[in-house]
Amino acid sequence: MTVLATETMTAEQMIKIAREQVDAFNASDWERLEAGLTPDSRYHELATQRKVESPEQIVELFKGWKSAFPDGAGTVTSAVSNGNQVALEVTWKGTHSGPLET
């Protein structure tokens, strides 16, 4: 999907882009994951309170989770969009068999 910078994305388009990030994580496709992020992307983990603020930092954080849970995969269970923000509810499953950075 290509959206020109002058176009306003619909909520559905934004949610599709956000879901693609979960799909890229599931496939360990770090290039695809980073390609879907804007330079001002931010990621906030509510459970750990970790916050990162660049595509590179987001990819590194996700790589850490995949290292700890090599078979880890997410399933999007719900999604909402408001303005220029999207929130996903994701159910994660995986076997903890690697080092977990804290």
Side-chain angles (χ1 to χ4, degrees), residues 52-73:
V52 294
E53 297 192 3
S54 75
E56 297 81 13
Q57 289 179 350
I58 293 169
V59 169
E60 288 307 309
L61 186 144
F62 283 10
K63 283 180 179 179
W65 279 113
K66 197 59 129 167
S67 175
F69 298 86
D71 64 345

Side-chain angles (χ1 to χ4, degrees), residues 1-100:
M1 170 177 59
T2 303
V3 178
L4 297 176
T6 58
E7 295 179 22
T8 301
M9 286 193 284
T10 67
E12 291 173 5
Q13 289 171 315
M14 291 177 54
I15 289 170
K16 182 177 180 179
I17 291 168
R19 285 176 179 267
E20 175 66 19
Q21 299 304 296
V22 176
D23 292 341
F25 174 88
N26 292 346
S28 299
D29 189 339
W30 310 122
E31 288 180 13
R32 180 171 51 140
L33 194 143
E34 188 169 347
L37 300 171
T38 62
D40 62 344
S41 291
R42 294 176 292 182
Y43 177 82
H44 180 195
E45 277 181 359
L46 296 177
T48 66
Q49 292 301 305
R50 287 193 293 182
K51 296 178 184 180
V52 294
E53 297 192 3
S54 75
E56 297 81 13
Q57 289 179 350
I58 293 169
V59 169
E60 288 307 309
L61 186 144
F62 283 10
K63 283 180 179 179
W65 279 113
K66 197 59 129 167
S67 175
F69 298 86
D71 64 345
T75 302
V76 177
T77 52
S78 67
V80 294
S81 175
N82 185 21
N84 66 351
Q85 297 183 351
V86 173
L88 300 178
E89 179 180 24
V90 183
T91 300
W92 297 99
K93 292 185 180 182
T95 306
H96 184 195
S97 60
L100 182 61

